[in-house]
Amino acid sequence: MQKKSASPKPHGAPRMAQHQVRIIGGAWKRSLLPVVDALGLRPTPDRVRETVFNWINHQLGGDWAGVSVLDPFAGSGALGFEAASRGAASVTMIDSHGPAVRQLEANRDKLKAGNISILRADALAALRDMAARGQRFDVIFLDPPYQQELLAKSLPLCAALLKEDGMVYAEAEAILPLEEGDATPEWLQGWEAVRADKAGMVYYHLLKLHKNKT
């Protein structure tokens, strides 16, 4: 979920590419889904999604059947819809922004995606509530708005939400300092990167808990 302000468009101007996301794999490959124009919304670029899903697919051995996915900062839904397209058993998307939630629901209905659930809620509160109720996931996508310390607040909550050998995709405006020993921030302790890369100003990481890394 990447966010930016929109530039004014003349009346009747066609929808621009940045207001759509394209599913790049699975049952709905090449489907174009509208994205609400909202401050802070920045869909994960195609190139990054392709790389990340290759990483995840490798970790899963190519088998998405039975995989449960959580996307607590869903925004455009680019990550969650991609996982659902590839056959994830369940995808739970969460967003606090009403128009974004309504667009997610419309896109789900357009695809007739029975494996997708959408909730309007505060992401951090939802993560705590799900953990308290014993919910567990195989894959969690963390792509919160930048500059609000939301990744630092949400990643520690994910430890209680992962199934055995579960993984977290984390997108950030800077590389996560996971290899700094005692200098590693407290919120990153216990995690290590299975894979990490950079595309433009986007730093993206596939994380596992130390005891779960394979």
Side-chain angles (χ1 to χ4, degrees):
M1 185 186 85
Q2 273 185 343
K3 294 186 173 178
K4 59 185 178 184
S5 54
S7 49
K9 297 187 289 293
H11 178 71
R15 293 184 71 84
M16 303 301 289
Q18 65 263 33
H19 299 304
Q20 293 181 326
V21 294
R22 184 190 308 274
I23 296 176
I24 57 178
W28 307 318
K29 184 177 181 180
R30 290 187 290 275
S31 295
L32 290 171
L33 301 177
V35 175
V36 69
D37 190 11
L39 181 66
L41 202 87
R42 42 170 187 74
T44 300
D46 287 9
R47 170 187 165 191
V48 173
R49 273 188 291 132
E50 183 170 13
T51 299
V52 168
F53 276 87
N54 285 341
W55 292 349
I56 296 172
N57 202 55
H58 176 74
Q59 292 292 316
L60 295 174
D63 184 8
W64 285 84
V67 171
S68 55
V69 176
L70 176 63
D71 188 357
F73 300 96
S76 70
L79 295 166
F81 282 114
E82 193 72 49
S85 179
R86 291 165 188 257
S90 67
V91 177
T92 302
M93 299 185 189
I94 300 170
D95 204 276
S96 61
H97 185 54
V101 169
R102 289 191 288 274
Q103 186 64 69
L104 291 171
E105 291 171 338
N107 290 341
R108 176 191 60 188
D109 294 346
K110 172 185 175 181
L111 295 170
K112 298 180 172 61
N115 54 345
I116 294 177
S117 300
I118 298 168
L119 304 174
R120 182 176 181 182
D122 173 79
L124 298 179
L127 290 173
R128 294 187 187 99
D129 182 60
M130 287 176 168
R133 287 189 279 119
Q135 291 185 254
R136 300 292 182 268
F137 300 89
D138 298 288
V139 179
I140 300 175
F141 295 120
L142 290 184
D143 184 14
Y146 292 167
Q147 311 299 335
Q148 297 180 40
E149 298 186 357
L150 288 170
L151 189 58
K153 295 174 182 177
S154 57
L155 182 60
L157 299 175
C158 291
L161 286 163
L162 284 179
K163 294 182 182 179
E164 185 177 358
D165 205 36
M167 65 196 92
V168 172
Y169 166 71
E171 190 172 314
E173 67 270 37
I175 194 165
L176 300 184
L178 288 158
E179 308 296 336
E180 298 186 6
D182 293 340
T184 301
E186 184 177 354
W187 63 275
L188 281 171
Q189 291 176 12
W191 297 91
E192 54 187 323
V194 178
R195 299 293 299 269
D197 208 340
K198 176 180 182 288
M201 298 304 292
V202 177
Y203 293 81
Y204 52 106
H205 317 72
L206 190 63
L207 308 176
K208 287 191 175 185
L209 292 167
H210 284 293
K211 63 180 180 180
N212 287 347
K213 186 179 177 185
T214 58

